[in-house]
Every structure is written in C-alpha cells, then in structure tokens.
Amino acid sequence: MFAQILLLFALLRPTAAICTVTPDSNGHVDIDNTNTAIANNAFYECTGLVSVTIANTVTSIGTAAFAKTNLVNVTIPNSVKKIKDNTFAQCSNLETVSLPNTIESIGASAFYECTSLKSINLPESVQTIGAAAFGGSSKLAEVTVPDGITSIGDNAFAMTSSDLVCEKTCASGKRSFNCKKGANGCTVNQIKSLECRDSSEEVACSLADSAAAGWDYVQVLAMVILCTVYFK
C-alpha cells in the first residue's frame, strides 16, 4: 500500500524546484489582491516559506504550489473551490489548515505526508477526496467529513495515526460517534452510516466494531477463546 502511495506522489510531483517569490526575513509571503491565481509549483521546495497570506481575489491554487515548504498554518480564501493534487504535499511542519465552505474537492496527495497535521475539518461543501490525499500524515487522528461526501479515493487516509477517527458534520450540540478507527472508518459508506447524537451521550462500541477498528475477526476470536480458557 505504501509503495502505491509513493508511486502516486512520484507521478504527480514536479520535475524542478521553483520559487516565484522570495519570502521576507520572517519567512512570510503576501499574495495580495492583484493576484487571481497561484501557478503550478509556484513555491515548490521553497523551504524558507513559513507563512502565507492569500487574498480572496485568488480563485485558483496550482498543483504542488506549496509542496515541500515549511508552512505551519494556512488559511484558504473562500474564492477557491479546489485543493489540487499535491498542493501541500510533504509540508512536514503544517499544523493547521482552515478550509472555507466553498471547497468542493481535495486532490490526490494534496496533504500527503503532512506529518505535523493532527486534525482537519472538511467543510460541508467538500464532495470528493482524492487518492492518498492525507496519506502518510502520520499524526492525523481527527477528521470531520461532510455527510454529502460522494467519493473518497484509494489510500486517502493510509499511513495516518492508528487512532484516526473520522466523524461527520453534525448540528451544533451534536456529534457522530465512529467506532471504527483507522482508514476503515473513513469510507463513504461508513461516514453516511453515522448518526448524529447529543454530544453528552455515551455510545458503547460492540465487539464487531472493535474488530473493524483495527482488530481483525481472527484476533478478536482468539482473544475471546483465551479469556474463556483463562477464566474457566
């Protein structure tokens, strides 16, 4: 599986490092309202880039535009509808991402190997998540996915935290409870099956749910047999 992700990233990655604007002494770049687009590979491998401000006149952010930079936080303006392939791939210092309720799709490997990213809230406007979109983001443990999601690509959440929990967007005061941890809990069918409940309500996960959360049925059965023999 991991080899497939690496191959996908290799196929999508740019062939040369480009830095269209040099960051200031603080590592910041201001993309002001004279701009309407950020080119493909615009800041690819610009390791001096730590922060960026993107004006809401920008409607398009290119493929691998910020890949392999040292961005820590990023806010996408509501003028943007797509996070394209590899846009923030291998931004190992990226901790927080704010996405507006205009984003419709997350491209393949868009946040691949963002190893400092621990959680992300995908707005209700998101309909598709590309292959390996968050693959290799090893600390990612919390994802909120909209109920209207229609497609989640292969390995979208592969090699994330083993404690990864995907929930779905609920009305204020309510939350969904997903007993399946890991990538198995982040499928379209699983997200749509979740119910929104009062946030104070406790939900007991069944043995079958525990199995789906990372234990296969053979492991669970073996544990049951062991406990039966031990306590007999």
Side-chain angles (χ1 to χ4, degrees):
M1 179 187 295
F2 189 58
Q4 291 175 323
I5 297 174
L6 287 175
L7 176 60
L8 178 63
F9 182 72
L11 291 173
L12 293 174
R13 70 183 299 178
T15 57
I18 303 171
C19 192
T20 54
V21 178
T22 302
D24 65 20
S25 59
N26 294 315
H28 181 77
V29 166
D30 184 15
I31 301 174
D32 62 27
N33 59 13
T34 61
N35 297 279
T36 58
I38 299 172
N40 294 344
N41 315 327
F43 296 94
Y44 175 71
E45 282 192 338
C46 286
T47 55
L49 182 62
V50 175
S51 63
V52 63
T53 302
I54 305 173
N56 61 11
T57 53
V58 173
T59 59
S60 174
I61 301 176
T63 299
F66 295 101
K68 301 185 77 170
T69 61
N70 282 314
L71 285 174
V72 176
N73 308 297
V74 66
T75 298
I76 305 298
N78 59 16
S79 48
V80 175
K81 293 185 177 181
K82 296 180 180 180
I83 303 298
K84 296 183 180 179
D85 298 346
N86 273 354
T87 300
F88 297 100
Q90 294 186 315
C91 288
S92 58
N93 291 330
L94 188 61
E95 296 178 354
T96 60
V97 178
S98 178
L99 300 175
N101 201 31
T102 54
I103 298 295
E104 298 172 354
S105 62
I106 309 292
S109 298
F111 295 95
Y112 171 75
E113 280 194 351
C114 290
T115 52
S116 294
L117 189 63
K118 296 181 179 179
S119 65
I120 190 163
N121 186 6
L122 302 179
E124 291 193 47
S125 53
V126 173
Q127 299 175 21
T128 62
I129 301 172
F134 296 93
S137 296
S138 55
K139 292 183 180 178
L140 186 63
E142 297 179 16
V143 179
T144 303
V145 181
D147 191 29
I149 195 79
T150 59
S151 175
I152 298 177
D154 292 343
N155 301 320
F157 296 99
M159 306 296 288
T160 54
S161 169
S162 59
D163 293 324
L164 174 68
V165 175
C166 282
E167 303 290 0
K168 76 176 181 182
T169 307
C170 294
S172 178
K174 293 183 177 292
R175 58 163 292 192
S176 63
F177 294 85
N178 194 345
C179 291
K180 292 185 179 182
K181 292 185 179 181
N184 288 335
C186 295
T187 65
V188 172
N189 289 340
Q190 179 64 14
I191 294 301
K192 289 185 177 298
S193 72
L194 301 179
E195 296 180 4
C196 290
R197 304 167 183 253
D198 290 335
S199 58
S200 59
E201 185 177 354
E202 292 186 9
V203 175
C205 295
S206 69
L207 188 62
D209 289 325
S210 297
W215 290 59
D216 63 36
Y217 288 100
V218 174
Q219 289 174 308
V220 174
L221 181 59
M223 182 62 72
V224 170
I225 293 172
L226 181 63
C227 289
T228 302
V229 172
Y230 184 80
F231 291 107
K232 192 170 183 179

